[in-house]
Amino acid sequence: MRHVAVIGSGPAGYYTAEGCQKQFGDAVRVDIIDRLPVPYGLIRTGVAPDHQSIKGVSRRYEATALSDNVRFVGNVTVGKDVTIPELLELYDAVVLATGAPHDRALGIAGDDLPGVIGSAAFVGWYNGHPDFAGLAPPLHGPGAVVVGAGNVALDVARILAKTQDEFGGSDIVGHALAHLGDHTIDTVTILARRGPHEIAMTPKELGELGHLVRAVPLVNPADLPPPEADAALEPGLRKSVAHLRDFATRTHDKPIRVVFDFFAIPVAIEGDGRVERVIVERTQIEDGRAIGTGETYAIPAGLVVSCIGYRTPPLDGVPYDDRLGRFANENGRIAPGLYAVGWARRGPTGTIGTNRPDGFMIAEHIAADVPEDAAKPGRAALDALFAARGVDVVTFRDWQRIDEAEIAHARTGSPREKFTAVDEMLAARSPG
Ligand code: NAP
C-alpha cells in the first residue's frame, strides 16, 4: 500500500489522484488536502463564471473523489494545521498541487495605488473566493485598463463589458453581479506590450468578444501585419488573428468599447490617492521582445487590472525558484518523497487538460520511487494528529451538503449561488 498526500484540490490535484488510481489500483490511498472547505481550486474560483461548460470538468473529479481510495480533506492549511515535514513523516509521497494563486507584480511606479488590482484578486472577487469577496473594485471611473494579452485579460474585459442579462446561466456571485450592474466604465483598454502576432489569446475566447450586446471590440488596422504574414502562424493563432482583423473593421457603435492597444506597455500609474491614469509607452519589437520607444501617452482610468501571470507562494522548508515563481523541481521531483505538479511545477501555462499528463507523470514517479511495501502510516495517523489538534476537517460528504445548499440558493437561471465566506461554508455542512 502506498499513502499519498496531495496538497491542493484543483485540476492538478485531482488528475494526480486519478493517475495514482490508474497506476496502483486499490493499492493506494490518496488524501487531497485543501485550505478551503470546498474543492476544485481554479475550476471554482478561476474559470470564468460564464464558461460553465469548462467548469463541467469537475464532474470527472467528483468520480475520482467518490472512489474509496481517495479522500477530500478540506479546511486544512498546510503550514498551520500540519507542516510539510510532518506530512513527509506520515505519507510515502507528498505532492504539491497548490497552483499559482498570487499575482505577479507590475513593478512600476503607482502599482500600489487603490484601484490597481491583480487578476487573481479581481477574478477571485467575481468568482466568490473567500479571500477576495470584500474587494469591491472601483467601477465608476471613465475607463478600465487591463494589462496583458492572454486569456485572463479577455475574461476580465468580457466580465466588465457584459450586461446583467448576459450573465444568465452563469454562477457569478451575487455581490459581483450587483456591483457590476451600475458601473460607468465606457472604455476597457487591453494593453498588449507586443503585437497581434504575439498574443496569448485563444480563438474561441477572443471570438466571444465580438458578440457582446453592449460592447464592441476595436483594433487599430495600422497595428496589424500584412495579411499574407498570417500564413506562417500556427493554426490556432491564425484564427485568433483573424478575429483581430474582424475587430479592425468594426466601428464604435455600442455604449462600451473594448480597445486593443498593441505595442503598449504601462510605465507608471498616477492619481491623487487612487488610480486616475495609466502612463503608457509605445514599444517596438526587437528579437521578439518589446522595447520602449520613449513615446508616452496617458489613458484615463479608475481601475487597472493586471493580467500578467501568477506565482506559486513558497512553503516553509520547500526549495523554491524565486525567478520562475514556483517550486524548484526536476520534472516534478523536489526532494525524496516530495513532488510538485501543475502550475506549482511548471508555472501558470496551458489549459486545464495540460494538468492531466502532469498528474499521471507524478503517479509514474511515485511508482518508480516508492517501494510497494512502503511502511508509512498514512491517513489514520493524519486523523489522529488532527483529532489531537482539534482541526475541523471538511469531508467530501460535507462538501456535497455545501454544494446542495449553494444549488438551493441559486438565482433563477443560475446553477448556484456560492458561499463566499468560510464560516458560511462550514455552517452549510449541517444537514437540513
Ligand atoms: P498568459 O497567457 O501567460 O498571458 C500573460 C500576458 O501578460 C502575455 O500577453 C504577456 O506578454 C503579458 N505580460 C507579462 N508580463 C507583462 C508585463 N510586465 N507588462 C505587460 N504585459 C505583460 O497568462 P494568463 O492570461 O494569466 O493565463 C494563464 C493560463 O491560463 C494560460 O495558459 C491561459 O491560456 C489559461 N487560461 C485559459 C482560459 C480559457 O481557456 N478560457 C481562461 C483563462 C486562462 P508577453 O507574451 O509579451 O510575455
Side-chain angles (χ1 to χ4, degrees):
M1 182 65 71
R2 292 170 175 92
H3 293 282
V4 178
V6 176
I7 322 300
S9 69
Y14 269 105
Y15 284 127
T16 301
E18 190 186 320
C20 286
Q21 287 181 318
K22 289 246 159 44
Q23 189 77 38
F24 305 116
D26 195 42
V28 71
R29 296 288 177 272
V30 183
D31 281 354
I32 301 184
I33 297 172
D34 203 292
R35 180 166 78 85
L36 291 180
V38 293
Y40 307 141
L42 218 58
I43 301 298
R44 177 179 168 102
T45 59
V47 171
D50 55 346
H51 283 169
Q52 286 297 312
S53 59
I54 300 180
K55 286 185 191 268
V57 74
S58 60
R59 280 191 289 277
R60 182 189 183 113
Y61 307 149
E62 190 173 57
T64 304
L66 288 171
S67 57
D68 289 340
N69 54 359
V70 175
R71 286 198 316 183
F72 175 67
V73 184
N75 199 35
V76 169
T77 302
V78 171
K80 177 173 138 272
D81 298 317
V82 61
T83 65
I84 293 290
E86 285 171 336
L87 288 171
L88 285 167
E89 287 288 311
L90 303 184
Y91 290 85
D92 301 307
V94 175
V95 185
L96 304 176
T98 47
H102 287 186
D103 285 303
R104 279 189 53 211
L106 275 170
I108 58 175
D111 68 359
D112 54 351
L113 278 173
V116 183
I117 297 172
S119 56
F122 192 78
V123 170
W125 168 70
Y126 62 64
N127 266 327
H129 192 299
D131 288 355
F132 307 110
L135 189 72
L139 302 178
H140 287 93
V145 166
V146 177
V147 185
N151 282 328
V152 171
L154 278 181
D155 281 346
V156 169
R158 187 181 70 255
I159 295 293
L160 287 170
K162 275 194 164 182
T163 60
Q164 298 274 292
D165 282 353
E166 286 175 289
F167 286 109
S170 82
D171 67 350
I172 188 168
V173 290
H175 67 234
L177 187 62
H179 195 69
L180 285 162
D182 56 10
H183 83 62
T184 59
I185 293 167
D186 61 12
T187 304
V188 179
T189 305
I190 297 178
L191 287 185
R193 64 181 172 182
R194 297 192 290 158
H197 275 192
E198 287 84 29
I199 55 171
M201 297 164 166
T202 45
K204 183 170 161 290
E205 285 65 27
L206 198 50
E208 277 178 86
L209 267 195
H211 302 285
L212 299 179
V213 171
R214 66 168 173 183
V216 59
L218 299 173
V219 167
N220 179 353
D223 286 340
L224 289 162
E228 55 275 18
D230 295 359
L233 300 176
E234 61 84 17
L237 184 54
R238 202 183 313 139
K239 277 190 204 155
S240 289
V241 173
H243 284 301
L244 295 177
R245 291 193 184 281
D246 166 32
F247 299 167
T249 67
R250 307 284 186 104
T251 47
H252 182 192
D253 55 0
K254 294 184 183 176
I256 296 179
R257 51 188 187 142
V258 179
V259 177
F260 286 80
D261 198 352
F262 288 107
F263 306 106
I265 191 156
V267 289
I269 299 171
E270 296 178 348
D272 187 5
R274 61 185 171 84
V275 180
E276 290 173 30
R277 73 198 78 80
V278 180
I279 308 301
V280 177
E281 183 176 8
R282 275 271 161 259
T283 66
Q284 58 191 28
I285 308 304
E286 290 175 17
D287 296 329
R289 297 187 56 216
I291 308 293
T293 60
E295 178 195 342
T296 60
Y297 54 98
I299 301 178
L303 170 70
V304 176
V305 186
S306 65
C307 308
I308 60 168
Y310 301 106
R311 293 170 67 85
T312 298
L315 269 170
D316 270 352
V318 179
Y320 188 76
D321 185 330
D322 194 51
R323 191 178 63 84
L324 295 174
R326 56 168 169 73
F327 297 118
N329 71 90
E330 285 288 332
N331 230 6
R333 290 185 170 99
I334 300 177
L338 186 60
Y339 304 85
V341 69
W343 282 10
R345 176 184 85 76
R346 60 174 206 277
T349 58
T351 63
I352 289 158
T354 313
N355 296 299
R356 189 163 186 267
D358 242 37
F360 279 47
M361 176 182 78
I362 298 301
E364 282 169 22
H365 286 346
I366 295 171
D369 300 347
V370 179
E372 207 178 333
D373 56 355
K376 299 265 176 85
R379 54 176 61 166
L382 186 75
D383 291 349
L385 188 79
F386 284 166
R389 290 183 183 168
V391 178
D392 183 11
V393 171
V394 168
T395 66
F396 200 77
R397 179 73 198 104
D398 291 333
W399 150 245
Q400 287 177 312
R401 291 204 184 95
I402 298 169
D403 189 31
E404 284 159 16
E406 288 189 341
I407 292 167
H409 287 127
R411 300 181 298 275
T412 308
S414 173
R416 67 178 62 243
E417 184 62 54
K418 289 179 194 164
F419 295 113
T420 60
V422 167
D423 286 353
E424 292 171 351
M425 295 172 183
L426 296 178
R429 285 178 298 178
S430 329

